[in-house]
Amino acid sequence: MLKIINLSKKFNINTDNEINIFQNFNLEIEENKCTAIIGSNGCGKSTLLNIIGGSILADKGQIVLNGHNIENLREEQRANHIGRVYQNPSMGVSPSLTILENMSLANKKGEKFTLRKLIRKNNIDRYIELLKDLDLGLENKLNTKVKFLSGGQRQSLSLVMAAMKHPDLLLLDEHTAALDPKTSNVIMQRTRELIKKYSMTTIMISHNMKDAIEYSDRIVMLDKGEILLDKPSINVTEKELIDIYREKLHNFA
């Protein structure tokens, strides 16, 4: 479904601070599965997601999505096939616009339109049904500006917007890291429901090892741009992951 082939990426090239994040890196993501990418800070998790999404370009390598090379596509072109939810609850929405305007924008992704024709009345019932599934009462706040919503409400809205056009690939970039534990749990439940509902192929970055195991089908641990562990989540324990982290820290010290 998604193949990353011989990916290489350096930063600060030809300086004293040159960093080689990936070198001939390969990874294949299974269709209709949720793959959790974990690892310590600087291991390459976010860089990998940014390269897939197009906000960072690789130095070399191929990114093949559903049989099509996308490494030369601009970020906005890739967005027609890739949905993304960010760590910051405000990055996936437009805070100055209403819930209705935000959902209308998401529904127009990949299409040409004018702001005057942004909202179509015949789509509103569908938006309401999508919001009802969140069970947060947002369907009764369509004309509320998103900046007045809580972080959890914004992230829930971001999830719905990212999934509403059934993208080929959903990227979750530590999308609960900025939330309190209770809200984080709610968002993870909503995430699982949406992934299952739309059978979305998903890559999820997480620092929460318990969530990574519970809500994914596969665990991939990175270390300095290399795969340290790759197992079905059902075969991984939180203790195993913690022990690997401790061993790496001990060796580093």
Side-chain angles (χ1 to χ4, degrees):
M1 193 278 174
L2 176 72
K3 293 182 180 180
I4 299 168
I5 305 167
N6 296 328
L7 180 73
S8 294
K9 181 62 184 178
K10 291 182 180 180
F11 292 98
N12 308 318
I13 298 174
N14 296 327
T15 72
D16 293 338
N17 297 315
E18 182 172 304
I19 301 173
N20 190 352
I21 298 292
F22 293 107
Q23 186 172 7
N24 297 322
F25 177 82
N26 293 277
L27 180 66
E28 188 165 345
I29 300 298
E30 297 174 83
E31 188 174 8
N32 299 336
K33 301 287 186 181
C34 178
T35 300
I37 307 289
I38 64 173
S40 57
N41 290 334
C43 71
K45 303 185 303 296
S46 293
T47 299
L48 181 61
L49 240 64
N50 286 330
I51 289 174
I52 294 170
S55 57
I56 293 177
L57 295 179
D59 296 330
K60 68 174 184 177
Q62 290 180 291
I63 304 170
V64 182
L65 181 62
N66 285 336
H68 300 284
N69 289 338
I70 65 169
E71 65 269 10
N72 294 321
L73 296 182
R74 298 188 304 274
E75 183 177 11
E76 60 270 25
Q77 291 174 308
R78 298 188 200 190
N80 292 327
H81 309 281
I82 299 174
R84 186 166 182 174
V85 183
Y86 297 85
Q87 179 177 333
N88 185 337
S90 294
M91 283 192 67
V93 294
S94 298
S96 62
L97 300 180
T98 66
I99 292 175
L100 178 57
E101 289 168 335
N102 269 272
M103 294 194 74
S104 298
L105 277 173
N107 196 45
K108 289 288 186 180
K109 187 168 71 170
E111 302 176 18
K112 293 182 178 180
F113 64 91
T114 63
L115 289 178
R116 193 164 58 115
K117 296 182 179 179
L118 175 63
I119 298 174
R120 296 187 180 277
K121 291 183 179 179
N122 57 348
N123 288 328
I124 293 178
D125 286 344
R126 175 170 169 254
Y127 300 157
I128 289 174
E129 289 304 311
L130 290 172
L131 292 172
K132 278 183 178 179
D133 287 342
L134 295 174
D135 197 25
L136 294 173
L138 294 181
E139 68 275 10
N140 300 316
K141 299 180 178 182
L142 287 179
N143 294 314
T144 299
K145 289 189 176 181
V146 171
K147 64 182 178 182
F148 296 119
L149 302 181
S150 68
Q153 289 174 322
R154 291 186 197 188
Q155 206 63 316
S156 297
L157 180 60
S158 293
L159 266 173
V160 168
M161 289 166 56
M164 66 188 298
K165 296 199 80 170
H166 308 172
D168 296 323
L169 179 66
L170 177 66
L171 304 178
L172 304 175
D173 191 359
E174 295 189 59
H175 69 305
T176 63
L179 306 175
D180 63 82
K182 182 178 179 181
T183 305
S184 174
N185 184 58
V186 172
I187 295 298
M188 288 308 304
Q189 293 286 348
R190 300 289 181 268
T191 301
R192 176 153 57 189
E193 291 165 4
L194 280 171
I195 291 173
K196 184 178 180 180
K197 180 178 180 180
Y198 297 123
S199 299
M200 287 186 292
T201 304
T202 305
I203 301 176
M204 176 178 71
I205 289 180
S206 179
H207 274 298
N208 188 315
M209 287 177 281
K210 183 178 179 181
D211 282 352
I213 294 170
E214 182 177 353
Y215 293 100
S216 73
D217 300 292
R218 174 187 178 195
I219 299 285
V220 174
M221 180 184 284
L222 298 182
D223 180 56
K224 298 178 182 178
E226 296 183 353
I227 296 175
L228 191 63
L229 176 145
D230 186 350
K231 284 186 177 182
S233 302
I234 196 171
N235 295 335
V236 180
T237 65
E238 192 173 352
K239 181 181 183 303
E240 179 182 2
L241 299 180
I242 291 173
D243 287 346
I244 293 173
Y245 273 114
R246 286 175 176 169
E247 182 180 352
K248 294 300 295 183
L249 287 172
H250 176 74
N251 291 339
F252 181 76

